[in-house]
Amino acid sequence: MRAFSSLIAAAFATALVVAGSLAHAAEPYPSKPVTIVVPYPPGGVTDVIARLLATKLGARLNQSFIVENKSGAGGTIGTDYVAHSKPDGYTLLIMIDTNTIAPALYAKLGSDPIKDFAPISLLATGPHIIVAHPSFGPNNMKELIDYAKAHPGEPYASSGNGTGQNLGMEEIKLKAGIDLRHVPYKGGGQAINDVVGGQVKVAVLGLAPVLPFLKSGQLKALALTGDKRSPILPNLATVGETLPGFATLQWFAALAPAGTPPDVIAKLHDAFVQVAHDPEIEQRLAAIGLEVRTTTPAELKKFMEADLPKWPPLVKAAGIKIE
């Protein structure tokens, strides 16, 4: 009798464990806070986008979405962290164009932008901008090319070695047959300060941080790097209007670790797309020169795969080396 009672007790305990497991498995996603990792410092455009989206995502999915900045090593520290996180949908990444440039820059990376991630959606795109000190002679792209041909070695600033800004200008140099000397800065803020101060006369930078300086007249705009003119600066021509076929964009996308369940990716995709197209988000991003652009997960993967081969030839041509 005692053995029978023990058997019943063991069976009951097992049933409780199984029931608990099934209940846990049936918990709707997300059942706990979700972390969105930004692999760059607070205050930058990537951080701004993440925080705007996190607030709306939290309201839509009735769960907290927390933005965590894990910066360093050109964004690779935070990127690698997400790549090696548990693929359960509770750790996400805001990836940018730098992530598809990185394989051309670093001999060894801790993660692969395609193999180690599950795409969710593209979020936004926008151009870089070529700006200059008001005293600089050229006022447009053609004049800059003519000036550079007459003054080889003229310095230009960017936010750093191997950035989309740096490589965009290197592509311009190749297409136009000009020689400009790169002066890399540790971030766009320092570069802006030195161009405003006249230490360097021309730069290629992100559009958002230079807008206040364009409005105040402390900088002047020469051209946009995108494939079309920007609504925020409708009279400013693109580089491609002078050098046909040229276009570079900064882009922002949401991804999860590879192996994240398809149903979780589907739910996140729906939420990110709906939230990104919220009129408030669209207006806030438009004000800093970005256009909301969403995709399916498959389209994002194709977009990234198409971006990867562009960078190695430019890195090689420019002789860029990052240890």
Side-chain angles (χ1 to χ4, degrees), residues 181-235:
R181 179 172 57 84
H182 184 218
V183 181
Y185 284 78
K186 292 183 178 180
Q190 294 180 19
I192 290 171
N193 288 340
D194 273 11
V195 180
V196 168
Q199 285 89 343
V200 182
K201 294 298 178 70
V202 64
V204 55
L205 296 165
L207 178 53
V210 305
L211 283 172
F213 298 92
L214 295 176
K215 292 177 181 177
S216 68
Q218 293 173 282
L219 293 174
K220 64 180 180 180
L222 304 188
L224 291 167
T225 68
D227 54 1
K228 59 184 178 181
R229 294 194 181 195
S230 171
I232 202 168
L233 295 169
N235 296 322

Side-chain angles (χ1 to χ4, degrees), residues 65-81:
F65 278 71
I66 302 163
V67 175
E68 184 175 347
N69 299 88
K70 286 187 175 292
S71 60
T76 61
I77 290 176
T79 299
D80 293 348
Y81 173 83

